[in-house]
Amino acid sequence: MKETASAKLVSSANHTASPFGTQFCDHMTLVRYADGRWSEVETLPVGPLPLHPASHVLHYGSSCFEGMKAFRMQNGGVRIFRLDRHVERFQRSAELLCLPLPPADIVEAMIRQLVDLCFDDIPEAPGALYLRPALIGTEENIGAAGAPSAQAMLYVLASPVGDYFSRGGHGLTILIEDQELRSTPGFGQAKAGGNYASALRHVVKARKEHGADQVLFCPNGDVQETGASNFFLINNSQLLTKPLDASFLHGVTRDSVITLARDLNYDVIERDFTVAEVMDWIQTGEAALSGTAAVLSGVGSFVHKGATYKVGDGSTGPNTRKLSDALRALQSGRTEDRFGWLS
């Protein structure tokens, strides 16, 4: 594994040694698509990719990716969390990008092969092995602005990780953006780099001007998602979130939290809601972000129109902690896999 001594520190209790996603295992898996078929899976050392400067991805953004985690179980084994749902979403992103559709069995084989290779580098819970499949268009044609790439490369990286937000029990600071969109309408459900790039300038500005960790996009007051996570409002009996549509990413962690909330007897409400409702809710309730990297992270304050509004006492709320702990326990095998999510 690259920088092994530092990366092993990722599994320590405080998870502060290495920023999330900056350490990598020694190997990656890779396949290529050309002439209508996929190549055999290769295992290669992690390093620069051979790309022609006219590659479609470099000019027309033909790329998508996925993110999932493998966890070390208490018995020493390793399981991947919701692999089938992540592969399904990866294929959907490829369709939206008009990229060659990678067969599910090939993607799964690449991921499992890499997990086996990286077995010794997987940290103990709550750390994990973050897995990043990426699909890029590689056709050498700068005149193909109006055509999909007929060639592609799919590779999978593995990164031992700790917590994405290293805030301890402190809640996140979120700026509410009530005018701008996070992504192109109808394209938000794709896990594509362009969606993150379009949100980035807002996140950078929010961090610089307000010390915010993320931006919650609420065009015309309609609460959608942050630049990198889905969004929940939670109290002692309810969990409120926006219903799925094409404007935002269909999070696998979002679905997992909703399933666990129902199992724990929360009343799950999926409906559209407004910024005004968020401001009202946080008088007595909680707010949280969900994602593969973020898991379920509590919001401590919102910044809106220049004013700061605290959520509770500014720390992660008890219901957010309860749901987060339940999810982490299931992912690491400390509780029964009653939903069949580990494979």
Side-chain angles (χ1 to χ4, degrees), residues 30-34 38 48-52 55-65 90 94 97-100 102 132-140 148-156 193:
L30 182 147
V31 294
R32 294 176 173 84
Y33 180 87
W38 293 92
L49 295 172
L51 281 180
H52 192 280
S55 293
H56 199 278
V57 63
L58 301 178
H59 299 267
Y60 304 116
S62 54
S63 68
C64 63
F65 64 95
F90 188 50
L97 269 294
C98 298
L99 281 161
R132 170 56 64 88
L135 177 63
I136 60 175
T138 54
E139 182 176 350
E140 300 166 11
S149 178
Q151 299 176 12
M153 181 187 298
L154 165 59
Y155 60 94
V156 185

Side-chain angles (χ1 to χ4, degrees), residues 30-110:
L30 182 147
V31 294
R32 294 176 173 84
Y33 180 87
D35 300 322
R37 65 177 184 270
W38 293 92
S39 68
E40 296 296 318
V41 179
E42 301 177 60
T43 299
L44 302 170
V46 171
L49 295 172
L51 281 180
H52 192 280
S55 293
H56 199 278
V57 63
L58 301 178
H59 299 267
Y60 304 116
S62 54
S63 68
C64 63
F65 64 95
E66 192 51 57
M68 68 199 78
K69 287 177 178 175
F71 294 87
R72 191 173 295 281
M73 302 290 105
Q74 289 188 308
N75 64 5
V78 171
R79 307 286 289 278
I80 304 171
F81 185 68
R82 305 203 72 175
L83 174 60
D84 56 342
R85 285 295 297 270
H86 283 288
V87 171
E88 178 184 325
R89 187 173 66 177
F90 188 50
Q91 290 180 308
R92 177 58 179 152
S93 293
E95 288 180 333
L96 289 167
L97 269 294
C98 298
L99 281 161
L101 186 66
D105 60 340
I106 291 179
V107 181
E108 290 190 15
M110 294 175 69

Side-chain angles (χ1 to χ4, degrees), residues 169-230:
H170 297 290
L172 303 170
T173 298
I174 305 298
L175 176 74
I176 293 176
E177 169 54 64
D178 58 9
Q179 298 298 320
E180 300 285 346
L181 295 166
R182 173 185 179 259
S183 62
T184 302
F187 196 65
Q189 62 182 308
K191 198 165 179 68
N195 283 338
Y196 293 81
S198 68
L200 187 57
R201 71 186 188 279
H202 300 289
V203 177
V204 169
K205 182 179 179 181
R207 186 175 296 126
K208 180 179 179 180
E209 295 182 359
H210 303 284
D213 297 286
Q214 257 296 344
V215 173
L216 180 62
F217 290 90
C218 312
N220 299 315
D222 174 42
V223 178
Q224 295 184 346
E225 64 176 340
T226 73
S229 304
N230 293 132

Side-chain angles (χ1 to χ4, degrees), residues 234-247:
I234 311 169
N235 62 26
N236 291 337
S237 61
Q238 297 174 310
L239 182 146
L240 172 62
T241 192
K242 183 178 177 63
L244 294 178
D245 64 32
S247 70

Side-chain angles (χ1 to χ4, degrees), residues 294-314:
V295 190
L296 189 65
S297 300
V299 177
S301 61
F302 288 98
V303 178
H304 187 223
K305 297 187 183 301
T308 299
Y309 303 85
K310 186 177 284 190
V311 182
D313 63 2

